[in-house]
């Protein structure tokens, strides 16, 4: 007489453990993606602020008209105002900009030296305005 080989499958406990491990791996990827997304947003905002300042200085020099850059932290807006133009740059709500409340650019394109800090919850980037001719340097920190 032959006996039938018993077929075994996963028990409930094994299935729960497998499911928990799978969910853990998926959640780990999601957390890493969120961190990457925030870092990219900070990098892009830093580049946008830098290019806005450089563009304002260039236009001020070419048109011989002063520009005024102001950051409004409550509405997360950056404005560039000239006699003939006003530009608004919206900043993501999780990004904050420090030491850019009022930046005056003369009609020759010069501005006062300062260090602007752009930060999110975890990281910060700095932009340095050097000398009076307004050379803009994006720090890698």
């Amino acid at each position: 007489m032959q006996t039938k080989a018993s077929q075994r499958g996963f028990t409930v406990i094994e299935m729960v453990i497998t499911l928990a491990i799978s969910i853990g791996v998926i959640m780990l990827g999601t957390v890493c993606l969120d961190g990457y997304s925030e870092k990219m947003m900070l990098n892009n905002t830093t580049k946008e602020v830098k290019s806005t300042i450089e563009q304002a200085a260039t236009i001020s020099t070419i048109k011989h008209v002063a520009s005024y850059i102001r950051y409004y932290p409550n509405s997360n807006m950056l404005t560039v105002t000239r006699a003939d133009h006003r530009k608004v740059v919206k900043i993501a709500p999780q990004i904050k900009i420090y030491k850019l409340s009022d930046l005056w650019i003369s009609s020759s394109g010069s501005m006062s030296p300062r260090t602007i800090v752009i930060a999110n919850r975890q990281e910060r980037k700095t932009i340095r305005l050097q000398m009076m001719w307004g050379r803009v340097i994006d720090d890698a920190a």
Side-chain angles (χ1 to χ4, degrees):
M1 220 162 123
Q2 292 182 345
T3 60
K4 290 185 179 180
S6 63
Q7 293 182 350
R8 291 189 42 131
F10 283 115
T11 64
V12 174
I13 294 174
E14 291 171 333
M15 286 177 57
V16 168
I17 291 172
T18 304
L19 185 62
I21 291 172
S22 300
I23 289 174
V25 168
I26 291 170
M27 293 305 291
L28 181 65
T30 303
V31 169
C32 290
L33 187 61
D34 287 343
Y36 178 76
S37 171
E38 285 187 20
K39 188 172 185 172
M40 288 305 297
M41 190 175 301
L42 180 64
N43 288 340
N44 289 340
T45 302
T46 302
K47 289 176 185 176
E48 187 173 25
V49 170
K50 179 182 173 186
S51 67
T52 299
I53 294 169
E54 287 175 335
Q55 183 181 28
T58 303
I59 291 173
S60 291
T61 304
I62 292 171
K63 292 189 172 188
H64 300 290
V65 62
S67 296
Y68 188 69
I69 298 176
R70 183 171 181 120
Y71 172 63
Y72 298 96
N74 293 336
S75 58
N76 265 13
M77 263 190 332
L78 187 68
T79 62
V80 180
T81 308
R82 289 190 310 272
D84 61 340
H85 182 72
R86 183 169 191 257
K87 177 183 175 182
V88 176
V89 178
K90 297 206 181 241
I91 306 296
Q94 57 268 37
I95 304 288
K96 298 296 176 197
I97 302 174
Y98 303 99
K99 301 178 185 173
L100 185 63
S101 57
D102 300 310
L103 176 63
W104 183 73
I105 302 172
S106 72
S107 60
S108 64
S110 65
M111 61 191 94
S112 61
R114 67 174 72 189
T115 300
I116 300 165
V117 178
I118 302 169
N120 62 11
R121 288 175 246 143
Q122 300 164 349
E123 293 184 62
R124 60 183 50 224
K125 297 276 187 178
T126 58
I127 297 173
R128 291 183 292 142
L129 306 178
Q130 288 189 333
M131 306 303 225
M132 289 303 290
W133 62 83
R135 182 174 173 209
V136 182
I137 298 175
D138 185 6
D139 287 346

